[in-house]
Amino acid sequence: MSDARFFTAAGIAALALILLALVFPQGRGARSPKPFGHETEASREAWVAAHTPKPAPGSAAPRPAF
């Protein structure tokens, strides 16, 4: 295989991988899971539920919105 064909194919493959990285998964709205620095909506909801104080029995106090 000649150098010209190899480096052309390698360049096209690199460009295809770069384009894929630009659109997947963040391009579809999905967040990257931990440990990559992005918090998921489920983990955020679990944290809020664990750290929100429970209302006193019999009170009609609304829960704070985060």
Side-chain angles (χ1 to χ4, degrees), residues 13-35:
L15 182 62
L17 289 174
I18 290 169
L19 291 175
L20 179 65
L22 289 174
V23 299
F24 185 79
Q26 286 83 5
R28 296 188 316 177
R31 302 282 246 166
S32 296
K34 288 182 180 179

Side-chain angles (χ1 to χ4, degrees), residues 27-58:
R28 296 188 316 177
R31 302 282 246 166
S32 296
K34 288 182 180 179
F36 300 108
H38 294 288
E39 184 176 44
T40 62
E41 189 63 31
S43 66
R44 173 74 179 144
E45 289 175 4
W47 187 91
V48 168
H51 291 86
T52 302
K54 305 291 185 233

Side-chain angles (χ1 to χ4, degrees), residues 5 14 22 50 59:
R5 285 187 181 181
L22 289 174
S59 71

